[in-house]
Amino acid sequence: MTTFKNIRLERDQALAVVSIDRPKAMNALNYDTLQELKVCFEQISGDHTLKVILLTGSGEKAFVAGADISYMRRMNAHEATEFAHLGHSVMMMIESAPQPVIAAVNGFALGGGCELTLACDIRIASTNAKFGQPEVNLGVIPGFGGSQRLPRLVGKGVASELLYTGDIIDSTEALRIGLVNRVVPQDKLMSTCKNIAEKICSKGPRAIQICKQTINNGCQMDIARASQYEAIQFGQCFASEDQTEGMTAFLEKRPPLFTGN
Ligand code: CAA
């Protein structure tokens, strides 16, 4: 298994826990950290024994405080575009990973950190978490998907306000605008995320994979095409052993034994 310098990868049966681990820089994303995340997600995505991924930040203060400002300061336009492409490739890997990814947001999720949570399927925040896209304070715009995924998640008006003002919001406000699914005390954050993960792990893995694909791809389509697409994806489930097992188990009044086939 690859050893990383700026992130940690732990496995707990079918769960992978990825922690961004640069406490001195509030877990900010520099080039090396993004590269490590890319390698890490390449490995996890191909591991069929892993059913859910949990993404968090080390320590109790920050999830990720953004892209690394000291790294970005001297970049020219070309280098900045390349850096944004790298960031986007990481976000796309997370979004297209076959397993659901849960962001356990344990503190500041600003700029690239907020964007990282947006690429995840589910966001659970601790009460001390703070969110924002403060790029305009630095004279730039989001570069890892914030101007695209935030409006899609919370709506254009609310997203525009956050993106134009650079305001940092607390977890209560994040919950109110639908940016996070739940807010829990910090000492309950990991257990809450693990409970959700365990529940997902107990379902048919093939169905979960197809469901993630269907949500993410369908959201980019108009409703007519998306409905056609869902029908095809629904049909795909019927080519799986899990479908036969799930429906047979229901009729035989016993818990299903899913294999992911
Ligand atoms: N990049 C690099 N270093 C960062 C950082 C970042 N995004 N955020 C924090 N740090 C560093 C600080 O420079 C500081 O380092 P030193 O101890 O060496 O001085 C250390 O982390 C601790 O930070 P603070 O002393 O500022 O801690 P605080 O508790 O007073 O404030 C904070 C915390 C509100 C998160 C504040 O650090 C902050 O505002 N950080 C920047 C947030 C930001 O602007 N993020 C967006 C970046 S741009 C981006 O992400 C573009 C994109 O979309 C791709």
Side-chain angles (χ1 to χ4, degrees), residues 24-26 28 61 65-70 72 108 110-112 115 134-135 138 141-144:
K24 281 187 190 149
M26 294 242 173
K61 227 178 151 186
D68 191 305
I69 299 168
S70 18
M72 291 185 295
F108 288 109
L110 304 177
E115 292 168 301
E135 285 86 351
L138 303 165
I141 68 163
F144 297 167

